[in-house]
Structures are given as structure tokens and as C-alpha cells.
Amino acid sequence: MSDIRLRNVRKVYPGAAEATIPGLSLDIGAGELCVLVGPSGCGKSTLLRMVAGLEEVTDGEINIAGRQVNDLEPARRDISMVFQNYALYPHMTVHGNMAYGLKNRGMPKAEIAEKVGTAARMLGLADYLDRKPRQLSGGQRQRVAMGRAIVREPAAFLFDEPLSNLDAKLRVKTRVEIRDLQQRLGTTSIYVTHDQQEAMTLADTLVVMNAGRVEQIGPPMEIYARPASLFVAGFIGSPPMNVLAPGTGAALATAAGIERAAGHAVVGVRPEDLRAQPGGPLAVTVRVVERLGATANVHGVLDDGASEVIASLSGTDLPGPGEVMHLGVNPADLHLFDHASGQRLECAGA
Amino acid sequence: MVERRPLLLFIQHAVLIFGAAVFVFPIYLAFIASTHTAREVNSGLPLLPGGQMFDNYATVLGEGLSTAGAPPIGLMLMNSTIMALAITLGKLVISLLSSFAIVYFKFPFRVLAFWTIFITLMLPVEVRILPTYEVVAQLGMLNSYAGLSVPLIASATATFLFRQFFMTVPDELTEAARIDGAGPMKFFRDILVPLSRTNIAALFVILFIYGWNQYLWPLLVTTDESYYTIVMGIQRMVNAGEETPQWHLIMTTAILALVPPVVVILGMQRLFVRGLVEVEK
Ligand SMILES: Nc1ncnc2c1ncn2[C@@H]1O[C@H](COP(=O)(O)OP(=O)(O)OP(=O)(O)O)[C@@H](O)[C@H]1O
Ligand SMILES: [Mg+2]
């Protein structure tokens, strides 16, 4: 087991006017699964590829297992990577794909066969070793890519959106398998995704990125419970947090007994924290009701006519479109953010 | 889609059959001629096979046409094969390597290198024949296999095609190979070349036939009979001085000259048809 340490890592693509990553530090503990999440183009892949050695580091230092790797070739960094489109060698069999990296390291044939066999059994690929990638389903190909990564027993796994080519159901199943495998092997991992649900469920440590910067680092539940900024609040959680402008939010805050922020704070409240409350402080005209089974998302407009609100409600007596519904919230579940900077204001509702 | 109307269908087939016949008929005639005696052929070409087939082929393969001023057929067939194979393999190896360099490596004057190679497309051997002859003569390569093949190897057709193909190979594959510890040449050998198999097979056929059909260049650089190629040989038999051309034997030679290209096409066709069917979705 080994850890990964990034120190002021900077990346400026040649010819680019601005830094894609202006300077980022991150510590990933041994055996941890760290998920990088953020909107498209925020630099997640860039960061991962710098750790892999596929992209040059403009500035700063990358350590893997206590060794500075900035100038090492990818093959000598003791990492393996799973690509979004798997990047399997189309002309090699499943066995050949998994064995190639070992062969290049000069491992004896018998040992390769044993390691590939073990990995194949672990991934349920034992019957497919002689097939070519094109003779496999998408899910099987994904597992071959995983197999290629684990046979090498590297110090770290790097995943770049490894599930985005699978259908929704398989994605959930494979997500669990990846988590299980990673825990059993105890290999330090970095996992890139832009799916916040995948990020929440997989991560030991969640890193929310925005425009090349870290917005917040922490255990996923902590980030969910106490988002450090409006950006994080909007990105983590689905449906996203309701954000009420200072004037509109004031009623809610006052009703909750929070005087301090009432005038100038943006108030955030998660859809799942809202509940139906006759005479509650939020009067919402319902527009659409989405029934998801256990819960339903009620979309509506506040009586100021502008703010959209989503409430995630359970129960059966849901309002119909056009009806006015009153909602309330537990004061402890309010999030306050500074109007200008978007940063979290502490001691909300406490 | 083509509509299924009987008249249309008939016309389509008629056109196709006519086209095929136009191509096949001369070959058929050559074959017929190769099965008759000289007298039968010269007194109006028959349309049905005669009984002289084994005699003719035995004569051509065994004794050669010494009277017609050409070395034995076997030697000429071998010379042609050596020349065509040398040109084919030389062009394939050089163009695979040069397109690998152009696509995968950054080096000074890379663009210039590419354009230089590209420009040779405009300079086939016929255009630069005199200077090339001069160079080959100065290097003492007249009357040698090297003289026959090396000047024809230098051209860009295949480089250009491989470059286009390499550019379609996904970057992730290169990156996966780098992580798997494959250095550049290993990547080339283990991944790029096997992936190019279909292209290589198709080019092998095209280049082999290109080399096999060379006429002008071998004519210039060989004065020694033992380096004559089959295409030259046929030509010399036709212009055999005062004697009447021995058409039955010339046609036998022509039929024999068809065999190696046909073998190459059939052999490679299986490879590239399979390659096309197997192509990654
Ligand atoms: N090779 C490159 N040259 C120049 N700019 C690049 C290069 N690769 C990426 N970029 C830029 O760097 C930024 C970050 O790209 P990156 O691929 O890291 O985003 P990402 O977070 O992985 O996004 P996605 O979720 O869409 O994969 C983008 O603005 C992109 O345009
Ligand atoms: Mg990406």
C-alpha cells in the first residue's frame, strides 16, 4: 500500500493562455479511493494524466509511494490506468491484453499465466481468455480493462470515467464491483467521474474540482452535509440544492430563528430536507410532480414568481399541478452562503 | 436500393457480363494460343484448345527460347519475382517506418520531412529516369538486383496511406501501451504493425503488381541476360529480328507470367478479406 501526494501541481498546456490547473495540492492516503469530481473541462483528466505520466507537469511535484515521479515514464511509476473507452488491444486475446504489461517486464511465462488466471477468475473472465475484445460485450470489455490494471499489482489504480460507456444498470453493478475489488486489494486509487452519484457512492475522499481548483475535499457525507460553497452545494446532491436569494431566503431564515444572516445571505436547502407543513414559511405553486417510486420530486415556483424550488417528498397525498403547497424546513438543515463570494457562512441554524 | 424490375435486371447483367467478357477474352485467347502449334496459330487463331499444351509449356520451361534471344523462362520468372518482392517489401518496410516517425515523433523539420515525402508522389521513376540512371550507374548497380529494385522503392505512396491509417489509431491505445511498458519500437511491432495487417496485405498486392509490371526501368539498367525480367523477355520474343514471332510460345510465356501475381492476389486476398470482416466496430 502506498500513498499519492501532489504538491502545488500546475499545468499549462503549450500555447494555452491560462493555466488549466493553476496549482493544486492533494494528499491521498494509502489504500484510499479518492474520487475527483467536477464539471466537464475542469481539469480532472488532466490531473489524472499527470499522475499517470501521460501529460507533463508544468510545475510542482508528484509523489507516489514516497518516490518523486515527475520525470519517470508511465511504465516506471508503478501505476495502472483504466480508460473510458478501455483502450484494449483489438488484435490480442483477453489473455494477451492482460499479459502484455507483464511480458514487457520480462516476467516468466508460467508466472504470467498464473497471475492472469487469478485475475480472470476474480473478474469472472476465465471462460473468455481466448476471445478477442470485439467478441465481448461492453461490460466484459470493461472487466478486461480492469483485469489488465490489476494483474500488474501496481501501487495505484487510476480510473478515467471507466463506467461512462455502460448502460445505467450495468454502471451501478460495476460500480459496486470496482469498490469491492479495490477494498479487497487495498490499492490506492484515483477515480475521475463527472457523475455525482458515482462520486458519492465510491469515494473514501471526495475532491470537488472547479476550473482547475479544489473547491472542497472531504468524506462524501461531510461534503454533502456541509458544502463549502454554492458551487459544491449545487454539484453534490441530486436533485441539486435549492438556492434562495437573500430577499426570498430571509423569510425562511427568520422563520427558522436565524437573525444573523437574514438580510444578506443566500440560503440553501436540500430538496430532501423540505417537508410539507401547513402554514409553513415557503408557499410554492406546484408546476410538475415527478414520481420516482419511493419519493417524488415536486417542482414549483415561490410566491415571488421567480425562484424555482424542488422538494423531494415521500407519502401519497401529493399536490397536483397548479395547487399551492406550504413547505417547512428544520433550522439545522439550512445552509447559508455569502452573497458575494459564495462561501459557506458558519453557525447557520446551530 | 435497386428496384427489382426484370428488364433492368437483364440490362444490368448484360452490361456486367459484357464487361467481364471484354476483360477475360484476351486471356482466354492467350491460353488457347498456348495450346496449339505455331502453324495452327499463324493460320488464323482457333477458338478451342488444341493438343499441344504440354509440349509448349515443357518447351518454354525446359529449353527456353534461345532462338528468340531471351534467357530461359525460369530465370526470368525468378528475376521478376525477386525484383517485385524486393520492391514490395522495401516499400512496405520503409513506408511503415517513415509514417511511424512522422505520426508518433516530434522532431525538427517534421513537416518538411512529410512534404518532401509527399512530393516524391509527383516523381515516379519514369519522370526522374535519366538522373536516376546516372546515379545507379555511378554506384555500379547496373546489372544487379539492387539496381533493379532500389530506385523503385523510393516513393511515397505507401507512406502516405500508412500515415492516414496511423492517425486513426486512438491515442488511448498508445497510452495504454506506454503504461504497459512498451517502448516505441515495441509499440510499433506489437501493436501498430498487427493493426495495419489489412492495409499491409492490400498494399502488398498493389505494390507486387506494380513491381512485376515494370518494363522501362529494367530495360535500362540490365544489359546482362541473366538479369532480364519476364516482361522484358516477352517483349524481346515479339521483336525477334527476322524470324516470325513464335506466337504459341510467346502466349505460353505470357500465361506463365500471369501466375505469380495471381498467386499473390489469392494468397493476400484471404488475409485482407478476413481483416475487413474482423475490423473493430
Ligand atoms: N492536449 C490539450 N491541449 C490543450 N488544452 C487541453 C488539452 N487537453 C485538455 N485541454 C484543456 O484543458 C481543460 C481541462 O480538460 P480535461 O480533459 O482535464 O477536462 P475534464 O475535467 O477531464 O473534462 P471531462 O469531464 O469532459 O472529461 C479543458 O479546457 C481542455 O480544453
Ligand atoms: Mg476527462
Side-chain angles (χ1 to χ4, degrees):
Chain A
M1 283 203 229
S2 46
D3 58 345
I4 300 175
R5 229 185 283 273
L6 309 186
R7 281 285 162 274
N8 295 315
V9 170
R10 226 166 81 82
K11 176 70 186 179
V12 186
Y13 279 108
E18 283 181 34
T20 298
I21 295 178
L24 188 151
S25 298
L26 182 62
D27 281 350
I28 301 166
E32 228 175 64
L33 196 161
C34 168
V35 175
L36 305 181
V37 68
S40 187
C42 71
K44 307 179 296 284
S45 299
T46 303
L47 192 63
L48 191 76
R49 291 163 53 80
M50 284 196 287
V51 176
L54 298 172
E55 205 68 73
E56 245 173 73
V57 181
T58 310
D59 219 343
E61 191 178 309
I62 298 180
N63 272 280
I64 299 176
R67 198 167 50 128
Q68 210 229 51
V69 297
N70 282 37
D71 298 322
L72 291 184
E73 265 292 297
R76 307 205 35 230
R77 294 189 176 197
D78 201 13
I79 48 107
S80 50
M81 183 153 172
V82 178
F83 295 86
Q84 176 172 355
N85 58 12
Y86 318 138
L88 300 178
Y89 311 122
H91 58 294
M92 294 187 194
T93 60
V94 170
H95 181 280
N97 266 284
M98 297 212 263
Y100 189 59
L102 302 178
K103 216 168 78 184
N104 287 338
R105 278 174 179 68
M107 188 181 279
K109 264 213 163 95
E111 201 176 332
I112 294 180
E114 187 194 311
K115 281 190 193 294
V116 171
T118 312
R121 270 191 302 281
M122 208 188 278
L123 292 161
L125 287 170
D127 295 337
Y128 303 102
L129 284 177
D130 293 327
R131 294 220 196 153
K132 296 270 178 70
R134 90 195 108 77
Q135 297 164 311
L136 299 174
S137 71
Q140 288 163 340
R141 283 181 215 189
Q142 206 281 332
R143 288 213 293 274
V144 177
M146 291 287 301
R148 187 167 68 179
I150 66 177
V151 282
R152 297 239 313 272
E153 296 168 13
F157 293 142
L158 307 176
F159 300 91
D160 195 352
E161 309 197 17
L163 304 182
S164 47
N165 283 350
L166 301 179
D167 67 57
K169 210 166 171 179
L170 199 54
R171 196 151 53 207
V172 173
K173 181 165 167 271
T174 314
R175 188 169 85 195
V176 177
E177 282 171 8
I178 289 184
R179 186 59 173 141
D180 177 49
L181 203 64
Q182 191 269 339
Q183 280 171 345
R184 267 194 289 161
L185 299 172
T187 309
T188 314
S189 306
I190 306 182
Y191 187 108
V192 165
T193 178
H194 56 235
D195 179 333
Q196 64 88 25
Q197 199 186 15
E198 214 169 284
M200 288 288 292
T201 50
L202 277 173
D204 290 316
T205 307
L206 187 57
V207 178
V208 184
M209 287 179 65
N210 183 19
R213 273 171 245 273
V214 171
E215 285 274 337
Q216 191 172 6
I217 303 182
M221 279 319 287
E222 194 172 296
I223 291 180
Y224 174 81
R226 300 169 56 77
S229 65
L230 272 175
F231 175 83
V232 177
F235 201 81
I236 298 296
S238 170
M241 184 182 277
N242 297 301
V243 176
L244 307 175
T248 323
L252 204 57
T254 316
I258 307 167
E259 297 300 338
R260 179 184 164 272
H264 49 268
V266 176
V267 176
V269 52
R270 293 210 178 271
E272 48 275 33
D273 291 333
L274 286 171
R275 54 191 148 72
Q277 181 189 337
L282 288 181
V284 173
T285 311
V286 176
R287 288 228 297 235
V288 175
V289 179
E290 294 178 304
R291 286 167 214 278
L292 305 174
T295 60
N297 293 336
V298 177
H299 298 246
V301 192
L302 278 192
D303 43 12
D304 66 357
S307 317
E308 301 259 353
V309 169
I310 306 174
S312 180
L313 305 174
S314 52
T316 45
D317 55 339
L318 295 167
E323 287 175 35
V324 174
M325 169 176 210
H326 286 266
L327 296 169
V329 63
N330 192 339
D333 293 331
L334 290 181
H335 305 261
L336 298 192
F337 300 95
D338 184 71
H339 175 55
S341 68
Q343 294 302 306
R344 182 180 188 85
L345 296 172
E346 279 312 331
C347 69
Chain B
M1 284 309 284
V2 181
E3 284 181 57
R4 281 203 152 270
R5 274 186 299 187
L7 181 66
L8 201 63
L9 205 66
F10 174 77
I11 293 174
Q12 285 166 355
H13 278 77
V15 169
L16 289 176
I17 289 167
F18 176 75
V22 166
F23 280 105
V24 170
F25 190 63
I27 297 172
Y28 176 74
L29 276 191
F31 174 73
I32 294 299
S34 76
T35 61
H36 288 274
T37 61
R39 189 175 310 121
E40 285 166 340
V41 172
N42 286 338
S43 59
L45 193 58
L47 282 178
L48 291 174
Q52 282 294 105
M53 183 168 158
F54 290 105
D55 290 346
N56 285 347
Y57 283 84
T59 312
V60 166
L61 284 173
E63 301 158 27
L65 283 187
S66 45
T67 49
I73 301 294
L75 180 64
M76 291 197 295
L77 279 174
M78 194 183 77
N79 287 344
S80 277
T81 310
I82 290 174
M83 179 179 76
L85 279 180
I87 291 173
T88 308
L89 295 176
K91 269 187 187 262
L92 282 176
V93 168
I94 287 182
S95 51
L96 273 166
L97 285 170
S98 55
S99 21
F100 178 53
I102 287 173
V103 176
Y104 286 93
F105 293 87
K106 287 200 179 70
F107 52 90
F109 308 118
R110 182 166 77 143
V111 177
L112 182 70
F114 173 69
W115 282 105
T116 311
I117 293 173
F118 188 70
I119 281 171
T120 67
L121 275 177
M122 293 176 230
L123 300 171
V125 77
E126 287 78 6
V127 175
R128 54 185 160 91
I129 201 152
L130 287 175
T132 308
Y133 179 84
E134 180 63 19
V135 170
V136 169
Q138 293 290 330
L139 291 176
M141 295 202 298
L142 297 179
N143 288 318
S144 72
Y145 290 123
L148 277 173
S149 46
V150 170
L152 293 168
I153 287 174
S155 105
T157 358
T159 306
F160 200 63
L161 293 172
F162 282 125
R163 171 183 177 265
Q164 300 308 93
F165 173 70
F166 288 170
M167 295 203 311
T168 66
V169 172
D171 288 343
E172 282 86 356
L173 223 51
T174 319
E175 292 170 351
R178 273 179 78 189
I179 290 176
D180 269 343
M185 285 324 285
K186 213 167 207 168
F187 170 69
F188 178 69
R189 207 178 50 227
D190 291 348
I191 292 166
L192 271 188
V193 171
L195 285 180
S196 314
R197 201 185 45 187
T198 310
N199 293 276
I200 292 175
L203 274 171
F204 193 100
V205 169
I206 293 168
L207 295 177
F208 185 87
I209 290 172
Y210 164 82
W212 187 263
N213 286 342
Q214 284 304 317
Y215 172 64
L216 194 54
W217 181 250
L219 198 62
L220 270 184
V221 294
T222 59
T223 46
D224 178 350
E225 286 191 357
S226 59
Y227 288 103
Y228 280 7
T229 63
I230 191 80
V231 178
M232 286 168 71
I234 295 174
Q235 164 66 10
R236 289 182 76 95
M237 290 177 200
V238 176
N239 299 332
E242 278 118 60
E243 300 171 41
T244 0
Q246 310 204 39
W247 283 112
H248 62 306
L249 296 183
I250 294 171
M251 289 306 174
T252 310
T253 312
I255 292 291
L256 283 173
L258 275 179
V259 173
V262 168
V263 168
V264 166
I265 290 174
L266 291 181
M268 287 296 157
Q269 187 207 29
R270 202 172 311 144
L271 220 163
F272 69 70
V273 168
R274 192 174 64 203
L276 289 178
V277 174
E278 273 184 5
V279 91
E280 192 66 3
K281 280 160 275 178

